[in-house]
Every structure is written in C-alpha cells, then in structure tokens.
Amino acid sequence: MSARAELDVLVVGGGTFGTALASLLAEMGRRVRLWTRRPEQAEEINREHTNRRYFPSHTLPPGLEATSDLAAAVRGAPIVFLAVPSRSFRSVARTLGDSLEGDQCVCHTTKGFEIETFKRMSTILREETCTLKTGVFSGPNLAVELMNGYPAGASVASHYQEVTAVVQDLFRGGRMRVYGGRDVAGTEIAGAFKNILALAAGVSDGMGFGDNSKALVLTRGLSEMARIGVSLGADVFTFCGLAGIGDLMATCASPLSRNHQVGVRLAKGEKLSEILTSMTQVAEGVPTTEAVQRYAVAHGLDLPIVRAMHGVLFESWQVEDAVRNLMSIPVGDELSALRYR
Amino acid sequence: MRLLRVAAPCPHRPEQSFPVPSESRGSRDGTRDQALLDRDKERALAEVVQRVFENYSRDPRSVEQALFDTLYEERRRLETEKDRSQARRQASLYHQDYREALHAPLGRQRELLKRIIRGFAEEVAGHFDPRIYALATRVIPPSLTVTLNAMSPLRLLGILPGGPGTLHDQVDIKGEIDAFRAVAKLGTAVLVATHSSHMDSILLGYMLYRIGLPPFTYGAGLNLFHNKMLGFFMHNLGAYKVDRRKKALVYKDVLKAYAGCTLELGYHNMFFPGGTRSRSGAVEKKLKMGLLGMGLDAYIHNLIAGKEKPDIFVVPCTINYQLVLEAETLIDDYLKEVGKSRYIIEDDEFSKPRRVLDFVSKLFSLNSRIHMVISRPLDVFGNTVDDEGRSLDRRGRVVDRRKYVFRNGRPLFDRQRDQEYTRELALSITEAFHRDTLINSTHLISHAVMNWLHDHNPELDLYRMLRTGGARESLPLPEAYERLERSRQTLGRLEQQGRLRLDDTVMRKDPVAVVSEALAHLRSYHRTPAVTRSGDRLLHRDRNLLFYYQNRLDGFGLPMVEKPQ
C-alpha cells in the first residue's frame, strides 16, 4: 500500500455499516479514518470512542480516527470505502470526486439503485469521480453482529484485480472472510434486490405465516433476482454467492433488518408513511421496489413478488389480496426462466 | 500530393526512447525526413523483435510452443496461398525450420523463433525506396499518368491534376479540428475512425492534408497493397503491411509492437478500431482491444523513460457517406450465415476501377457530400482532453492522468488493469462514434421501408423477407412520409441532446424533399436501386441494400429490423 506510513483505508459514511466496517478494520490494527458528515459525531468518535446514535451500547476501538473534512480525509488513502445511503450517494461521490486521484481505489457498500435513473452505484461513481479502479463490497453483514465481533463473510467484486486484492489484503487474518469476484453488476443487483425480498419476508412473518411460506417467498424471490440480473448483464451464479443467497438468508430471517421490520408492520396494517416517519434509518427496500417495478414494466420482465410488494407499498393493496394474487398465478417449470435463456 | 506520404514524423520533436544516440531532425518536408524515417525504422525493428521475443523467452516451454504454433499456422496458410511458387519456396523454408526445431536444443529454438519474428517484423515494416517515394510525391511519369488518369480513385478525389476544387466542396470536414491540431503538437496522436469503405483511408489522408497535419503511420491490409490502383502507392511509403491471413499469435504481437514502437518514437498513428469495414452498415460497437491498447502501452513506456512529452492522445473520427461504394458486397457478407462470413474480401467494388469511377462521378454529380467529423480528443483512459491537453473527468474537473498508472509513486505496467483501462477507452470511442455519426436521407428512407416491410410481413423471418419482399411490392408514399417523419422526430430529440448529428436536408427539409433526395441517390449508383418511385408508391427493390442503410441507425433507440442471433 502506497501511503503505508500514513493510512490504510478511508471509510466514508458514519452510519451503521460504515462505523461497523471501520471498527472491524481498526481492531485488526489497520490505520483507518472514518468520515462523518456531522462534525459533532466525528468529535464524539475521537474523544469518547462511541457512536451512540447508531450503537448506543458499543465502544469503538481507540485507534479509529474520525473527521468531517472529506477533502483532507481522501488524501493519501490507497482505498476508500463508500458507505452512504443510495439517495445521498451521488452528492457524496461528487464531493469525493473533487479530491480523488487516479491511483486510488474506491469500493462502495451501498445496496440500492438511483431511483430516478435506475443507475447502479458503480455507474454513478464513474460519472462523479475520475476513479476507474472501483468495486463493490456486499454480503450478509448485519452491522450489530459485526460490532459484536461474530465471524462473517462478504464478497468484493471489481473489474480490477488490484481492487479485489487490496480489499482482501485489508481483511486478511480478521473475523471477516472476503471472497473476490468480477461480476460488479450482479453483486450490486443482488444487494439492492434482496431489500425488496426482506420486505416480503417481513410481510410473511407479520402475517404469522411459518417457515414454509418464508422459504417460498425467498426462493421464488431469488429467481426474480436472477431474472432481472441476467437481463442487466449479470452472471447468474453470482446470486448463489454471499451477495445473493448469503445476504438473503441473513437479512430476511433476521428481525434486525430494517426492511424486514417495515414488512412486519405493513402486515400488521400500519400505513407506509407512518412506518417511515417513525424510523431513524433508511429502509432501502422501499425506493428499490419502486425503481425495480418501473424497470420491469418497461422491459417486459415478469417479477410477481416485486409486483405484489409494489402494490402493497404504493397502490394501497391489502396484504391479504396481494398474497391471494401471488398464490393464484399459474405455475410452470420452476427454473425455465433461467435455464432456457 | 502530400497525401501520399503515408508516414512521416510528426512536427513536434519526436523523443528518443530507444538507446540510440539522438540526431537532429529535419523538417517534415523533403527527403531528409525519409533518411530519418529509415533510421527510425531500423530502431523500431530492433525494438519490436526484442520486445516480442522477450515476451516468449521467459520460459522455455513458451519458446517451444510459440515456435511450433507459428510454424504450424504459417504452413497451413501457405497451403491455400494463391502465388504457388513463392508459397512453395516459403513452405520449404518453414519445413526445414520445423525439422530442425524438432531435435534442437533450447538455444537453437530461441534463435529460430527470433529469426521468424525478425522476418515478420521486416515484412510489416516494408521496404522503403526513396525513388518511388519521390515519384509518388512529386512527379508522375507520363506513362503512369495515362494509366492512372483512366482509373485512379486518387485522381477522382482530386489529388492528381484535374480538380482539387471539387474535392474541397465535396468533402466536408468538421468537429474538433483545432483540438486535434493542438494535441498533435502536445503529444503523439492516434486517429481512430469508423470504417465503411476502402475509400476511408484515402479520405483520412486527404483530411490530414487539408487540416495541415502530416500523414500518419498506418497499417494497411495486404489486399490493399495488391490492389491495382492503390498498391503502387502503398508500397514503400512507410505504411506498414498487415497480412490478415497470418493467424500466428507471434505475428499479431509483431504488429502491435510495431504500432507501439512508432508511437513511442513520436509518429502519429491511424487505424480503424473496428478491425475491418462494418459489414452490417452499423456504427462500430465492438472494437479490437489489442491494437487499441498500444496507446496506453506506449504511454507507460514513455513515462518510464521519463520523456518530456509522454502523452498519447486518441482522436475519434466518423466518416459519413450517403452511399457506400461497397455496400452490396458488405451486406451480402453480413447476411451469410454466422461463421461463413469472409474477413478478407478481395473481389469487391473497390477492386473494379470502373465501379469506383462510376461511384465517384455519381456522387459528385448529385452534389452529395462526404462528412468527416472529428471528435473531442481522448486520453488513453477514455477521458476527454481539453485544448491544453489536460484530461477532464465527466464533471469537467482536471485529472492528473499519470496517476492512473502509478503505484507506490512510480509508473508501472499491470496487464489486467491496463486491459480494463483500454476497455474504458473503447467505450469512450464508441460513444464518440455514435455522437458524431451523421444521419442522412438514405438511412431514413431505408429505415422507413424496412420497418414497413417488417410490419406487413410478420410471418417472414429476415432472410425470407429480404429475399422475397413479402406479399406487397410497394407502399404508398404518404405512409413512407409518415414513418420517416416519426423517426425524424425521435432522432431530432437525440440531436438536441447531442447524441447524434443530422444532415442538413434531414434537419430542415420537409419529408417530400428528404425522400426525393434519398431516391435520387439510391437509384444513381447501385446496380439495382434499393427503392424507386412509381406514381404515388414506393417500390422496394434491393432489400439487402435497404437493410444495409437502415443499419446505420442501429444503436440510437429506434425500432430496428435485426438479423436473428
């Protein structure tokens, strides 16, 4: 790493995942800098080694250094992790683009699309920065579990072997096993799409259905994920990896997931607007459902679970009707949409 | 006459990179340049052989493999060579090499491989004969004038006595001319152009002449050297030879290394990144990465050598015809079943002087113009470059491009990374090609008729539709006007967004005028007119041609009739 003496990695975004990632790396002895938008938050992290807004009961490693000056933070960082919500991704990327240089690698961890354009985050990075060496980091990584120090795994995908190698090196010898790959599109789509399925799994749980029902919605949902992925140029096998099935198992089974919580509350009859105003964090699945549904209609893709989820979220469908609808769709060959491409 | 100097050093002082003592360089005119050119060529040759050989010599097995693969490919090629006596001679030499290599120790195998590489390199670089060069650039002896007057496309393009004025009017050059000139001074330029016709190379030469740049080094297919009209001039002029029948990897490496070395020596290069003339008629979407990557390769070599002007700039250019000389042959080849298409076509319209003559005179009498559009220069990573030669990101911020190849503060090669960078460059080039493609009336009318055919013959596949034309042999003119108007609206919106260019007629005239201009063109040159008018109806006649011309609109979001995959 080029700036060995100074810094190993910059994490941009002091939310749950950014903080967890930075802590994990700092604990391993890596020199980590964490950028947060609010100076008070940076101050809190530096002085008290806590980030109470997101982790009220955790202490952060003392080696973790936080700052709110992005331009200064970028300098000398061989790799930058970008962990901000999809709706602020472009503006943060643009600011980052003012200071980034061509020898730096950027890896993002954002699971979502840009709603208006249906662009993937790597596309936005390309548009807003001069960096070519970009990648995506994704997998079953519930932030609280990472903070608790449990073993975990993830995958990093990039067209540049240098990026995967640098990221893998960073995590080597720690509690996170990071697998490499080249399918950037597939990894991004998997991460974004699983949030829709987390909503659906939440609905299933909220309705009081059992594990059979949830397995049904997740497995058929995985098939929809693969269908849209293939139509966008992804490798179908990516969806069998940590970014696909792996993330699906964690997020959709766990009550820790924000999207899952939204689904449960929808099934209990709460209105979407009420749920969203009561939450402090972003539930990426909601805007993603809208973006994916729009894309599916425009491209003639058959994605029944997305369709039903969209109905419940934005068209005031009753959850019971949505379930009845899904159960009455004619059944055909299970894998035909993928096998006979 | 300068057009015919296919290669000469660029006006800025090319820098020395290979370990040869530097000498003062002459002006770009006159024979002094050629003495330098000869010397540079010798250096380039030595460097090419060295680099290609090194690539294989790292491990003994790859030497052996390269040697036997090359001998195998070459002997196979020679079996089908037309010139039998020469082929037999060459084949027997290769046979001797093969017999010897079978039992030779590694040291001897290395020598044999090096000799083959040297042979390839010498053939690529060609033999330079100053006498012929002088003849081509200055005086045409009377005996030659007679022959050439009768049949040379060069004459028709106004290079020989008899009408440079016409040519000036007929070829419209626009776009980023100043930026092109600027980057050719600031560094070494690589001109990459869309490719529809063998006329392209002549036109590019003419374009460089008109905007005041020296001729660019250019790899020409052997078939052009064999062409009766051009061959004479292509020989010995510094154009290097590309023999596309040679399939050996070693040979391809030699070609790439030759292009790279000339770039490093400061010679501007030009090539067609699509690799061959577009068969379908569509603007190139897939580019050949190997040759394209030599720009980046030369750039890194230059940085490592610490040159004062290390930069390589890539300048895309589109060549837009209303009629394409070889349209019939090209689309015919495209429609052949997959795998049967010919990569090299030697018997097309370009090899028939009368067709060329006919084509050019028709084009001129129709007042048809050829539009050449120069796009904004790019760096070797696909970023646009401003007039000062600075790279800009997509938000217009200045980028320090050297950083892309730096690691630990130093420039270095990274094969995998560099391939991806070249992919980025290719993407930027195809975007530029599409943005600067100029759509005109022949494309629009062809698109309208093709889509009408498709809509009225839903039961026919493309091949049957093209062959039979379906149940109805004509469509009412008003319907053609309406369809044409609809796609013009869509294209007009794209034009406003800067995503393509529209020809003046298409922009300003009403559909009636657009159709009548298109008809005048389509009936003028091709053997069978693509479409003709009869009363108030349009008859589709050569549907392959209609398919060819409509394909130019592929990639702009219009509904297209496509060849089944």
Side-chain angles (χ1 to χ4, degrees), chain A residues 25-51:
Chain A
L25 288 165
E27 238 161 59
M28 291 169 65
R30 309 282 185 249
R31 271 143 301 186
V32 187
R33 199 177 281 159
L34 176 65
W35 175 85
T36 67
R37 190 188 295 275
R38 290 176 300 117
E40 324 72 271
Q41 194 185 353
E43 184 111 345
E44 181 198 328
I45 294 171
N46 287 336
R47 204 174 304 159
E48 298 163 41
H49 308 299
T50 56
N51 190 355

PDB file of all heavy atoms in Angstrom, chain A residues 25-51:
ATOM      1  N   LEU A  25     -11.966  -2.970  10.973  1.00  0.00           N
ATOM      2  CA  LEU A  25     -10.624  -2.813  10.416  1.00  0.00           C
ATOM      3  C   LEU A  25      -9.668  -2.208  11.443  1.00  0.00           C
ATOM      4  O   LEU A  25      -8.508  -2.600  11.535  1.00  0.00           O
ATOM      5  CB  LEU A  25     -10.677  -1.949   9.148  1.00  0.00           C
ATOM      6  CG  LEU A  25     -11.318  -2.651   7.940  1.00  0.00           C
ATOM      7  CD1 LEU A  25     -11.667  -1.655   6.840  1.00  0.00           C
ATOM      8  CD2 LEU A  25     -10.373  -3.726   7.387  1.00  0.00           C
ATOM      9  N   ALA A  26     -10.170  -1.256  12.209  1.00  0.00           N
ATOM     10  CA  ALA A  26      -9.318  -0.613  13.211  1.00  0.00           C
ATOM     11  C   ALA A  26      -8.890  -1.622  14.269  1.00  0.00           C
ATOM     12  O   ALA A  26      -7.753  -1.615  14.734  1.00  0.00           O
ATOM     13  CB  ALA A  26     -10.054   0.555  13.859  1.00  0.00           C
ATOM     14  N   GLU A  27      -9.811  -2.509  14.630  1.00  0.00           N
ATOM     15  CA  GLU A  27      -9.492  -3.522  15.614  1.00  0.00           C
ATOM     16  C   GLU A  27      -8.391  -4.461  15.141  1.00  0.00           C
ATOM     17  O   GLU A  27      -7.649  -5.031  15.937  1.00  0.00           O
ATOM     18  CB  GLU A  27     -10.735  -4.348  15.917  1.00  0.00           C
ATOM     19  CG  GLU A  27     -11.131  -4.319  17.380  1.00  0.00           C
ATOM     20  CD  GLU A  27     -12.567  -4.749  17.539  1.00  0.00           C
ATOM     21  OE1 GLU A  27     -12.877  -5.880  17.128  1.00  0.00           O
ATOM     22  OE2 GLU A  27     -13.362  -3.930  18.041  1.00  0.00           O
ATOM     23  N   MET A  28      -8.323  -4.638  13.815  1.00  0.00           N
ATOM     24  CA  MET A  28      -7.292  -5.501  13.253  1.00  0.00           C
ATOM     25  C   MET A  28      -5.953  -4.789  13.165  1.00  0.00           C
ATOM     26  O   MET A  28      -4.986  -5.335  12.633  1.00  0.00           O
ATOM     27  CB  MET A  28      -7.691  -5.955  11.839  1.00  0.00           C
ATOM     28  CG  MET A  28      -8.873  -6.903  11.813  1.00  0.00           C
ATOM     29  SD  MET A  28      -9.456  -7.117  10.119  1.00  0.00           S
ATOM     30  CE  MET A  28      -8.061  -7.927   9.396  1.00  0.00           C
ATOM     31  N   GLY A  29      -5.917  -3.548  13.601  1.00  0.00           N
ATOM     32  CA  GLY A  29      -4.666  -2.807  13.576  1.00  0.00           C
ATOM     33  C   GLY A  29      -4.441  -2.021  12.290  1.00  0.00           C
ATOM     34  O   GLY A  29      -3.361  -1.474  12.070  1.00  0.00           O
ATOM     35  N   ARG A  30      -5.447  -1.969  11.435  1.00  0.00           N
ATOM     36  CA  ARG A  30      -5.301  -1.154  10.226  1.00  0.00           C
ATOM     37  C   ARG A  30      -5.444   0.328  10.588  1.00  0.00           C
ATOM     38  O   ARG A  30      -6.209   0.664  11.501  1.00  0.00           O
ATOM     39  CB  ARG A  30      -6.370  -1.511   9.189  1.00  0.00           C
ATOM     40  CG  ARG A  30      -6.482  -2.983   8.899  1.00  0.00           C
ATOM     41  CD  ARG A  30      -5.379  -3.449   7.970  1.00  0.00           C
ATOM     42  NE  ARG A  30      -5.574  -4.846   7.602  1.00  0.00           N
ATOM     43  CZ  ARG A  30      -4.791  -5.837   8.010  1.00  0.00           C
ATOM     44  NH1 ARG A  30      -3.744  -5.586   8.769  1.00  0.00           N
ATOM     45  NH2 ARG A  30      -5.039  -7.070   7.626  1.00  0.00           N
ATOM     46  N   ARG A  31      -4.749   1.176   9.862  1.00  0.00           N
ATOM     47  CA  ARG A  31      -4.919   2.607  10.105  1.00  0.00           C
ATOM     48  C   ARG A  31      -6.146   3.083   9.343  1.00  0.00           C
ATOM     49  O   ARG A  31      -6.125   3.167   8.111  1.00  0.00           O
ATOM     50  CB  ARG A  31      -3.688   3.381   9.675  1.00  0.00           C
ATOM     51  CG  ARG A  31      -2.677   3.498  10.803  1.00  0.00           C
ATOM     52  CD  ARG A  31      -1.291   3.415  10.304  1.00  0.00           C
ATOM     53  NE  ARG A  31      -1.051   2.146   9.614  1.00  0.00           N
ATOM     54  CZ  ARG A  31       0.132   1.779   9.179  1.00  0.00           C
ATOM     55  NH1 ARG A  31       1.163   2.566   9.318  1.00  0.00           N
ATOM     56  NH2 ARG A  31       0.288   0.605   8.579  1.00  0.00           N
ATOM     57  N   VAL A  32      -7.200   3.364  10.069  1.00  0.00           N
ATOM     58  CA  VAL A  32      -8.492   3.670   9.465  1.00  0.00           C
ATOM     59  C   VAL A  32      -8.902   5.095   9.780  1.00  0.00           C
ATOM     60  O   VAL A  32      -8.749   5.559  10.922  1.00  0.00           O
ATOM     61  CB  VAL A  32      -9.589   2.729  10.025  1.00  0.00           C
ATOM     62  CG1 VAL A  32     -10.882   2.933   9.259  1.00  0.00           C
ATOM     63  CG2 VAL A  32      -9.146   1.294   9.967  1.00  0.00           C
ATOM     64  N   ARG A  33      -9.425   5.755   8.765  1.00  0.00           N
ATOM     65  CA  ARG A  33     -10.018   7.067   9.004  1.00  0.00           C
ATOM     66  C   ARG A  33     -11.492   6.935   8.642  1.00  0.00           C
ATOM     67  O   ARG A  33     -11.835   6.294   7.644  1.00  0.00           O
ATOM     68  CB  ARG A  33      -9.327   8.088   8.111  1.00  0.00           C
ATOM     69  CG  ARG A  33      -9.492   9.514   8.544  1.00  0.00           C
ATOM     70  CD  ARG A  33      -8.699  10.414   7.624  1.00  0.00           C
ATOM     71  NE  ARG A  33      -7.260  10.433   7.919  1.00  0.00           N
ATOM     72  CZ  ARG A  33      -6.345  10.800   7.022  1.00  0.00           C
ATOM     73  NH1 ARG A  33      -6.699  11.125   5.787  1.00  0.00           N
ATOM     74  NH2 ARG A  33      -5.073  10.831   7.347  1.00  0.00           N
ATOM     75  N   LEU A  34     -12.366   7.521   9.471  1.00  0.00           N
ATOM     76  CA  LEU A  34     -13.800   7.457   9.202  1.00  0.00           C
ATOM     77  C   LEU A  34     -14.321   8.869   8.977  1.00  0.00           C
ATOM     78  O   LEU A  34     -14.120   9.743   9.821  1.00  0.00           O
ATOM     79  CB  LEU A  34     -14.525   6.799  10.393  1.00  0.00           C
ATOM     80  CG  LEU A  34     -16.053   6.727  10.328  1.00  0.00           C
ATOM     81  CD1 LEU A  34     -16.515   5.828   9.184  1.00  0.00           C
ATOM     82  CD2 LEU A  34     -16.630   6.233  11.658  1.00  0.00           C
ATOM     83  N   TRP A  35     -14.960   9.075   7.825  1.00  0.00           N
ATOM     84  CA  TRP A  35     -15.544  10.398   7.570  1.00  0.00           C
ATOM     85  C   TRP A  35     -17.017  10.391   7.937  1.00  0.00           C
ATOM     86  O   TRP A  35     -17.756   9.479   7.542  1.00  0.00           O
ATOM     87  CB  TRP A  35     -15.389  10.777   6.093  1.00  0.00           C
ATOM     88  CG  TRP A  35     -16.076  12.077   5.767  1.00  0.00           C
ATOM     89  CD1 TRP A  35     -15.574  13.328   5.908  1.00  0.00           C
ATOM     90  CD2 TRP A  35     -17.412  12.235   5.246  1.00  0.00           C
ATOM     91  NE1 TRP A  35     -16.490  14.263   5.535  1.00  0.00           N
ATOM     92  CE2 TRP A  35     -17.636  13.626   5.119  1.00  0.00           C
ATOM     93  CE3 TRP A  35     -18.432  11.359   4.901  1.00  0.00           C
ATOM     94  CZ2 TRP A  35     -18.845  14.152   4.637  1.00  0.00           C
ATOM     95  CZ3 TRP A  35     -19.638  11.880   4.435  1.00  0.00           C
ATOM     96  CH2 TRP A  35     -19.833  13.262   4.301  1.00  0.00           C
ATOM     97  N   THR A  36     -17.431  11.366   8.713  1.00  0.00           N
ATOM     98  CA  THR A  36     -18.856  11.520   9.015  1.00  0.00           C
ATOM     99  C   THR A  36     -19.268  12.924   8.592  1.00  0.00           C
ATOM    100  O   THR A  36     -18.465  13.855   8.602  1.00  0.00           O
ATOM    101  CB  THR A  36     -19.151  11.366  10.521  1.00  0.00           C
ATOM    102  OG1 THR A  36     -18.544  12.465  11.203  1.00  0.00           O
ATOM    103  CG2 THR A  36     -18.586  10.063  11.056  1.00  0.00           C
ATOM    104  N   ARG A  37     -20.531  13.037   8.224  1.00  0.00           N
ATOM    105  CA  ARG A  37     -20.996  14.334   7.737  1.00  0.00           C
ATOM    106  C   ARG A  37     -20.987  15.376   8.870  1.00  0.00           C
ATOM    107  O   ARG A  37     -20.585  16.513   8.678  1.00  0.00           O
ATOM    108  CB  ARG A  37     -22.405  14.190   7.166  1.00  0.00           C
ATOM    109  CG  ARG A  37     -22.873  15.428   6.409  1.00  0.00           C
ATOM    110  CD  ARG A  37     -24.334  15.302   6.027  1.00  0.00           C
ATOM    111  NE  ARG A  37     -24.563  14.207   5.083  1.00  0.00           N
ATOM    112  CZ  ARG A  37     -24.415  14.325   3.763  1.00  0.00           C
ATOM    113  NH1 ARG A  37     -24.030  15.465   3.245  1.00  0.00           N
ATOM    114  NH2 ARG A  37     -24.652  13.301   2.979  1.00  0.00           N
ATOM    115  N   ARG A  38     -21.416  14.949  10.061  1.00  0.00           N
ATOM    116  CA  ARG A  38     -21.565  15.911  11.153  1.00  0.00           C
ATOM    117  C   ARG A  38     -20.299  15.968  12.012  1.00  0.00           C
ATOM    118  O   ARG A  38     -19.835  14.939  12.516  1.00  0.00           O
ATOM    119  CB  ARG A  38     -22.767  15.534  12.024  1.00  0.00           C
ATOM    120  CG  ARG A  38     -24.116  15.748  11.308  1.00  0.00           C
ATOM    121  CD  ARG A  38     -25.291  15.279  12.153  1.00  0.00           C
ATOM    122  NE  ARG A  38     -25.180  13.858  12.465  1.00  0.00           N
ATOM    123  CZ  ARG A  38     -25.056  13.381  13.688  1.00  0.00           C
ATOM    124  NH1 ARG A  38     -24.997  14.210  14.723  1.00  0.00           N
ATOM    125  NH2 ARG A  38     -24.974  12.087  13.901  1.00  0.00           N
ATOM    126  N   PRO A  39     -19.751  17.176  12.185  1.00  0.00           N
ATOM    127  CA  PRO A  39     -18.517  17.332  12.960  1.00  0.00           C
ATOM    128  C   PRO A  39     -18.676  16.833  14.405  1.00  0.00           C
ATOM    129  O   PRO A  39     -17.738  16.260  14.968  1.00  0.00           O
ATOM    130  CB  PRO A  39     -18.259  18.842  12.953  1.00  0.00           C
ATOM    131  CG  PRO A  39     -19.054  19.385  11.826  1.00  0.00           C
ATOM    132  CD  PRO A  39     -20.200  18.458  11.608  1.00  0.00           C
ATOM    133  N   GLU A  40     -19.889  17.041  15.006  1.00  0.00           N
ATOM    134  CA  GLU A  40     -20.078  16.596  16.414  1.00  0.00           C
ATOM    135  C   GLU A  40     -19.855  15.096  16.526  1.00  0.00           C
ATOM    136  O   GLU A  40     -19.263  14.604  17.486  1.00  0.00           O
ATOM    137  CB  GLU A  40     -21.491  16.843  16.955  1.00  0.00           C
ATOM    138  CG  GLU A  40     -22.283  18.051  16.578  1.00  0.00           C
ATOM    139  CD  GLU A  40     -22.808  18.074  15.171  1.00  0.00           C
ATOM    140  OE1 GLU A  40     -22.028  18.591  14.320  1.00  0.00           O
ATOM    141  OE2 GLU A  40     -23.930  17.628  14.889  1.00  0.00           O
ATOM    142  N   GLN A  41     -20.350  14.400  15.494  1.00  0.00           N
ATOM    143  CA  GLN A  41     -20.237  12.950  15.516  1.00  0.00           C
ATOM    144  C   GLN A  41     -18.766  12.523  15.447  1.00  0.00           C
ATOM    145  O   GLN A  41     -18.328  11.630  16.165  1.00  0.00           O
ATOM    146  CB  GLN A  41     -21.020  12.380  14.328  1.00  0.00           C
ATOM    147  CG  GLN A  41     -21.272  10.890  14.417  1.00  0.00           C
ATOM    148  CD  GLN A  41     -21.939  10.366  13.153  1.00  0.00           C
ATOM    149  OE1 GLN A  41     -22.327  11.121  12.285  1.00  0.00           O
ATOM    150  NE2 GLN A  41     -22.064   9.053  13.067  1.00  0.00           N
ATOM    151  N   ALA A  42     -18.014  13.200  14.575  1.00  0.00           N
ATOM    152  CA  ALA A  42     -16.582  12.901  14.458  1.00  0.00           C
ATOM    153  C   ALA A  42     -15.894  13.162  15.790  1.00  0.00           C
ATOM    154  O   ALA A  42     -15.061  12.381  16.263  1.00  0.00           O
ATOM    155  CB  ALA A  42     -15.961  13.745  13.354  1.00  0.00           C
ATOM    156  N   GLU A  43     -16.281  14.253  16.366  1.00  0.00           N
ATOM    157  CA  GLU A  43     -15.721  14.638  17.664  1.00  0.00           C
ATOM    158  C   GLU A  43     -15.999  13.563  18.727  1.00  0.00           C
ATOM    159  O   GLU A  43     -15.123  13.167  19.497  1.00  0.00           O
ATOM    160  CB  GLU A  43     -16.390  15.964  18.081  1.00  0.00           C
ATOM    161  CG  GLU A  43     -15.859  16.548  19.335  1.00  0.00           C
ATOM    162  CD  GLU A  43     -15.076  17.825  19.038  1.00  0.00           C
ATOM    163  OE1 GLU A  43     -14.727  18.052  17.864  1.00  0.00           O
ATOM    164  OE2 GLU A  43     -14.804  18.576  19.982  1.00  0.00           O
ATOM    165  N   GLU A  44     -17.261  13.092  18.749  1.00  0.00           N
ATOM    166  CA  GLU A  44     -17.674  12.069  19.717  1.00  0.00           C
ATOM    167  C   GLU A  44     -16.827  10.799  19.543  1.00  0.00           C
ATOM    168  O   GLU A  44     -16.340  10.209  20.505  1.00  0.00           O
ATOM    169  CB  GLU A  44     -19.155  11.738  19.524  1.00  0.00           C
ATOM    170  CG  GLU A  44     -19.679  10.697  20.509  1.00  0.00           C
ATOM    171  CD  GLU A  44     -20.989  10.069  20.040  1.00  0.00           C
ATOM    172  OE1 GLU A  44     -21.784  10.773  19.364  1.00  0.00           O
ATOM    173  OE2 GLU A  44     -21.216   8.881  20.328  1.00  0.00           O
ATOM    174  N   ILE A  45     -16.655  10.419  18.266  1.00  0.00           N
ATOM    175  CA  ILE A  45     -15.886   9.198  17.990  1.00  0.00           C
ATOM    176  C   ILE A  45     -14.448   9.360  18.449  1.00  0.00           C
ATOM    177  O   ILE A  45     -13.871   8.486  19.093  1.00  0.00           O
ATOM    178  CB  ILE A  45     -15.956   8.852  16.488  1.00  0.00           C
ATOM    179  CG1 ILE A  45     -17.391   8.479  16.098  1.00  0.00           C
ATOM    180  CG2 ILE A  45     -14.991   7.711  16.143  1.00  0.00           C
ATOM    181  CD1 ILE A  45     -17.625   8.340  14.623  1.00  0.00           C
ATOM    182  N   ASN A  46     -13.861  10.523  18.166  1.00  0.00           N
ATOM    183  CA  ASN A  46     -12.459  10.739  18.533  1.00  0.00           C
ATOM    184  C   ASN A  46     -12.248  10.842  20.034  1.00  0.00           C
ATOM    185  O   ASN A  46     -11.271  10.331  20.569  1.00  0.00           O
ATOM    186  CB  ASN A  46     -11.929  12.011  17.863  1.00  0.00           C
ATOM    187  CG  ASN A  46     -11.710  11.804  16.374  1.00  0.00           C
ATOM    188  OD1 ASN A  46     -11.516  10.663  15.939  1.00  0.00           O
ATOM    189  ND2 ASN A  46     -11.772  12.866  15.605  1.00  0.00           N
ATOM    190  N   ARG A  47     -13.212  11.517  20.725  1.00  0.00           N
ATOM    191  CA  ARG A  47     -12.998  11.778  22.132  1.00  0.00           C
ATOM    192  C   ARG A  47     -13.511  10.653  23.029  1.00  0.00           C
ATOM    193  O   ARG A  47     -12.849  10.230  23.951  1.00  0.00           O
ATOM    194  CB  ARG A  47     -13.656  13.105  22.518  1.00  0.00           C
ATOM    195  CG  ARG A  47     -12.996  13.689  23.762  1.00  0.00           C
ATOM    196  CD  ARG A  47     -13.505  15.065  24.110  1.00  0.00           C
ATOM    197  NE  ARG A  47     -13.350  16.011  23.005  1.00  0.00           N
ATOM    198  CZ  ARG A  47     -14.062  17.136  22.907  1.00  0.00           C
ATOM    199  NH1 ARG A  47     -14.990  17.425  23.797  1.00  0.00           N
ATOM    200  NH2 ARG A  47     -13.856  17.975  21.903  1.00  0.00           N
ATOM    201  N   GLU A  48     -14.729  10.193  22.696  1.00  0.00           N
ATOM    202  CA  GLU A  48     -15.345   9.213  23.611  1.00  0.00           C
ATOM    203  C   GLU A  48     -15.332   7.791  23.058  1.00  0.00           C
ATOM    204  O   GLU A  48     -15.770   6.861  23.729  1.00  0.00           O
ATOM    205  CB  GLU A  48     -16.782   9.644  23.928  1.00  0.00           C
ATOM    206  CG  GLU A  48     -16.834  10.994  24.638  1.00  0.00           C
ATOM    207  CD  GLU A  48     -18.225  11.601  24.588  1.00  0.00           C
ATOM    208  OE1 GLU A  48     -19.196  10.853  24.764  1.00  0.00           O
ATOM    209  OE2 GLU A  48     -18.338  12.822  24.337  1.00  0.00           O
ATOM    210  N   HIS A  49     -14.878   7.650  21.817  1.00  0.00           N
ATOM    211  CA  HIS A  49     -14.860   6.339  21.171  1.00  0.00           C
ATOM    212  C   HIS A  49     -16.230   5.662  21.180  1.00  0.00           C
ATOM    213  O   HIS A  49     -16.358   4.475  21.454  1.00  0.00           O
ATOM    214  CB  HIS A  49     -13.803   5.430  21.821  1.00  0.00           C
ATOM    215  CG  HIS A  49     -12.464   6.081  21.898  1.00  0.00           C
ATOM    216  ND1 HIS A  49     -11.786   6.486  20.772  1.00  0.00           N
ATOM    217  CD2 HIS A  49     -11.702   6.446  22.960  1.00  0.00           C
ATOM    218  CE1 HIS A  49     -10.660   7.060  21.129  1.00  0.00           C
ATOM    219  NE2 HIS A  49     -10.583   7.057  22.446  1.00  0.00           N
ATOM    220  N   THR A  50     -17.236   6.462  20.899  1.00  0.00           N
ATOM    221  CA  THR A  50     -18.585   5.904  20.754  1.00  0.00           C
ATOM    222  C   THR A  50     -19.266   6.553  19.554  1.00  0.00           C
ATOM    223  O   THR A  50     -18.833   7.601  19.063  1.00  0.00           O
ATOM    224  CB  THR A  50     -19.473   6.216  21.986  1.00  0.00           C
ATOM    225  OG1 THR A  50     -19.485   7.635  22.180  1.00  0.00           O
ATOM    226  CG2 THR A  50     -18.969   5.506  23.230  1.00  0.00           C
ATOM    227  N   ASN A  51     -20.317   5.900  19.051  1.00  0.00           N
ATOM    228  CA  ASN A  51     -21.191   6.483  18.034  1.00  0.00           C
ATOM    229  C   ASN A  51     -22.607   6.141  18.497  1.00  0.00           C
ATOM    230  O   ASN A  51     -23.250   5.228  17.978  1.00  0.00           O
ATOM    231  CB  ASN A  51     -20.867   5.879  16.662  1.00  0.00           C
ATOM    232  CG  ASN A  51     -21.580   6.618  15.538  1.00  0.00           C
ATOM    233  OD1 ASN A  51     -22.386   7.529  15.795  1.00  0.00           O
ATOM    234  ND2 ASN A  51     -21.305   6.229  14.299  1.00  0.00           N
TER     235      ASN A  51
END
